[in-house]
Amino acid sequence: WTEEAYGISEKGWFRKWMAESLVAQARVLAYLGRTGNTIKKSNKNIDPYRESIILLRKSRGIFEEIRDQEGFFRSTLQMGKIFYERQMLPEARKEFLTSLRLLSKEEVLLAASLHLRIAAICRKEKRDVEGIPHALAALGRYKTLQNSSDMTEYQEAHEGFGNSLHAIGSFYRRVG
């Protein structure tokens, strides 16, 4: 259905809907990759993750062309998540940093989550000097959210706060 949506959008040259359908296709393919499935294309087995990244790059290009910052952000964040799942950490870090730059100040929970992921990547890559500020940024944002009246947000903030403290402790143990 996502390929059909893309085809209809392409015929009418509806660029935004073309990009949206590419993102939808990429999400389906990433799900297939997570579940261990492959796809056949022209009688060849195709890695769904690889195909997903290709589609996200294409959609991001369209979003950039039509100056749709929200769509550009979603494509970038989705790419970062896929790279992270695949343990392609330098690529994931790059996409998460780009996503952070595009966030509004009101999106505190997502910013905290991205900072914590970047800190985890930096820890794995032994980039402590770069990772410590991200762990601290996550800690501060999660602390702010602990005062939230939204119970779901509070629970995520509480867990994220603990994870941030753990990240800071692991950096401290390594660098002293």
Side-chain angles (χ1 to χ4, degrees), residues 62-124:
I62 294 170
F63 284 129
E64 186 173 31
E65 176 188 313
I66 63 174
R67 292 182 170 80
D68 183 331
Q69 192 168 1
E70 183 182 328
F72 186 88
F73 166 78
R74 283 185 290 110
S75 295
T76 302
L77 181 61
Q78 189 66 30
M79 253 193 292
K81 288 177 178 180
I82 291 169
F83 285 137
Y84 191 77
E85 286 175 16
R86 300 288 296 195
Q87 293 298 302
M88 299 169 73
L89 300 180
E91 293 88 348
R93 184 173 34 81
K94 178 181 173 245
E95 300 304 331
F96 288 152
L97 286 168
T98 300
S99 297
L100 262 177
R101 284 191 289 277
L102 298 171
L103 278 178
S104 70
K105 293 193 186 281
E106 294 80 43
E107 297 179 270
V108 180
L109 184 58
L110 184 52
S113 173
L114 285 170
H115 277 296
L116 191 56
R117 281 187 182 198
I118 294 167
I121 290 169
C122 290
R123 174 84 174 111
K124 288 178 184 176

Side-chain angles (χ1 to χ4, degrees), residues 108 111-117 119 132-145 157 160-161 163-165 167-168:
V108 180
S113 173
L114 285 170
H115 277 296
L116 191 56
R117 281 187 182 198
I132 291 169
H134 287 289
L136 290 169
L139 181 70
R141 283 166 178 78
Y142 283 126
K143 181 66 177 166
T144 300
L145 289 169
F161 186 79
N163 290 338
S164 299
L165 284 174
I168 291 167

Side-chain angles (χ1 to χ4, degrees), residues 27 29 50 60 69 76 126 151-152 165 176:
R27 293 184 80 156
L29 289 171
R50 186 173 179 279
R60 188 165 68 174
Q69 192 168 1
T76 302
K126 295 182 171 52
M151 197 52 154
T152 304
L165 284 174

